[in-house]
Amino acid sequence: MRYISDLKENEHIVDHYLCKQKQSQKTRAGKTYYALKLQDRTGAIDAKVWELTSDIQNFEEGDVVKIDANVQSYNNELQIKINKLRKSTEGEYSDTDYIPVTEKDIEAMFAQLTGMIKSIENKFVKTLLENIILKDETRMQLLKTHSAAKHMHHSCKGGLLEHTVSIAEICDFMCGRYRHINRDILMAGALLHDIGKLYELSPLPQNDYTDDGQMLGHIIIGLELVAIEIQKIPGFPHQLGSLIKHLIISHHGEYEYGSPKLPSTPEAMLLHYADNMDAKLKTFEEVLDKDNTPGPWAGYQKALARYIRKSEFE
């Protein structure tokens, strides 16, 4: 299989890819075309079907399709121009080729996460984390395999676990540098802030928004989940619960980014910056990993709203 990460400009390809997105659009002249997002385990790429002829057979989002196409460059990014397309048939492809996977060891990351939970001193916080993450077998397996996003950072199998562990590491490192920070509360927020994504997004390879994901979003889903689990723990202090829930609903940091509340505690502020830093730097990493343009600049990246420069110098 010719993986997306290996594609080169002016290359002709005949291969199978997962159709992640399909949109019917019109040119300025009113001509209908398809704008697609194709994916394999190494990444995703934009594709266009300009001529809707008999060579373009019926297909839908979520289908694996066989394409005859050319690789082109547009705005310093590779893009595929599709000449022929049909649905792939069973036996022509392997599902494992279309699910991107974290480069990190999933079981090792989960063991690290388990160790973080064991390090919690407050019995109520530790019980909450154990009940949500370690004692629910279905949820535990979801956390090991789930993506952290539909398109952005950590959009891969194990991506949510990688993101969660990374943020918890950052928070644990930083909390000792500042006064007035309760480590147990901070670590609870770090480990639970995106727990709602388990139900906001469907499992890979679809990795699309569920009904609850569209209508509620992971912040509200996570808040409700934590609130329910707190109620199951006898004697859980009300204010402690509120402090943890505040981290979940404020971790996006600003109203325009979807936070119902702004960070009002030092733990919430630290979690927000850790989350933002990990997401942004992972996006940089993913952009530079896929970049094959000559010279020090990787072009304009819509996800970051800026031009990206490689750290090259003479």
Side-chain angles (χ1 to χ4, degrees), residues 139-197:
R139 191 178 295 132
M140 183 170 65
Q141 293 304 317
L142 277 177
L143 182 57
K144 289 181 179 182
T145 59
H146 224 69
S147 163
K150 183 176 179 180
H151 297 305
M152 301 287 286
H153 63 93
H154 299 90
S155 181
C156 62
K157 179 180 178 181
L160 180 57
L161 179 59
E162 180 184 341
H163 179 54
T164 299
V165 170
S166 179
I167 285 179
E169 286 182 309
I170 295 169
C171 287
D172 200 17
F173 176 80
M174 294 299 295
C175 72
R177 272 76 184 161
Y178 301 97
R179 297 189 300 277
H180 311 300
I181 292 180
N182 183 299
R183 179 183 182 272
D184 287 351
I185 292 173
L186 175 63
M187 294 301 287
L191 296 176
L192 296 176
H193 77 286
D194 272 351
I195 198 72
K197 288 188 175 181

Side-chain angles (χ1 to χ4, degrees), residues 120-305:
I120 299 298
E121 296 181 356
N122 183 283
K123 65 177 183 178
F124 294 106
V125 177
K126 180 180 285 189
T127 300
L128 178 66
L129 293 170
E130 289 175 341
N131 290 352
I132 292 176
I133 296 175
L134 301 182
K135 293 185 178 180
D136 188 308
E137 184 67 29
T138 300
R139 191 178 295 132
M140 183 170 65
Q141 293 304 317
L142 277 177
L143 182 57
K144 289 181 179 182
T145 59
H146 224 69
S147 163
K150 183 176 179 180
H151 297 305
M152 301 287 286
H153 63 93
H154 299 90
S155 181
C156 62
K157 179 180 178 181
L160 180 57
L161 179 59
E162 180 184 341
H163 179 54
T164 299
V165 170
S166 179
I167 285 179
E169 286 182 309
I170 295 169
C171 287
D172 200 17
F173 176 80
M174 294 299 295
C175 72
R177 272 76 184 161
Y178 301 97
R179 297 189 300 277
H180 311 300
I181 292 180
N182 183 299
R183 179 183 182 272
D184 287 351
I185 292 173
L186 175 63
M187 294 301 287
L191 296 176
L192 296 176
H193 77 286
D194 272 351
I195 198 72
K197 288 188 175 181
L198 296 178
Y199 310 101
E200 179 184 45
L201 295 168
S202 58
L204 290 157
Q206 288 78 23
N207 195 39
D208 205 352
Y209 289 107
T210 63
D211 279 352
D212 281 353
Q214 290 281 18
M215 294 187 290
L216 303 176
H218 72 277
I219 290 178
I220 300 303
I221 296 171
L223 177 67
E224 290 182 341
L225 171 61
V226 170
I228 290 170
E229 293 297 332
I230 284 175
Q231 291 297 317
K232 296 178 183 178
I233 302 174
F236 199 104
H238 175 79
Q239 288 184 334
L240 176 61
S242 294
L243 287 166
I244 292 172
K245 287 185 281 187
H246 176 69
L247 268 69
I248 294 172
I249 64 172
S250 66
H251 76 267
H252 279 191
E254 302 289 346
Y255 295 132
E256 57 264 40
Y257 298 145
S259 264
K261 299 294 290 184
L262 300 179
S264 297
T265 66
E267 296 87 1
M269 184 63 78
L270 178 48
L271 175 62
H272 161 60
Y273 282 121
D275 180 49
N276 191 45
M277 180 174 71
D278 188 61
K280 292 292 194 300
L281 286 175
K282 186 64 176 181
T283 302
F284 266 87
E285 185 178 277
E286 292 172 354
V287 167
L288 294 175
D289 282 345
K290 294 185 291 185
D291 179 70
N292 58 7
T293 57
W297 288 93
Y300 184 82
Q301 303 300 326
K302 291 185 288 185
L304 295 166

Side-chain angles (χ1 to χ4, degrees), residues 12-31:
H12 178 252
I13 53 173
V14 178
D15 220 321
H16 303 266
Y17 299 95
L18 174 68
C19 179
K20 184 68 175 175
Q21 277 188 325
K22 175 186 178 183
Q23 295 180 331
S24 180
Q25 300 183 353
K26 290 186 180 296
T27 65
R28 292 181 180 178
K31 184 178 179 180

Side-chain angles (χ1 to χ4, degrees), residues 74-118:
Y74 179 71
N75 285 341
N76 293 320
E77 292 187 2
L78 293 182
Q79 186 179 94
I80 292 177
K81 177 180 178 292
I82 297 175
N83 307 310
K84 298 179 181 180
L85 181 151
R86 66 165 173 82
K87 282 180 63 174
S88 305
T89 58
E90 189 173 348
E92 287 188 308
Y93 63 93
S94 170
D95 286 341
T96 57
D97 284 329
Y98 304 97
I99 300 178
V101 181
T102 175
E103 295 178 353
K104 298 185 178 180
D105 185 292
I106 290 176
E107 291 301 330
M109 286 193 293
F110 195 81
Q112 186 178 359
L113 183 148
T114 301
M116 292 173 175
I117 293 175
K118 289 181 178 179

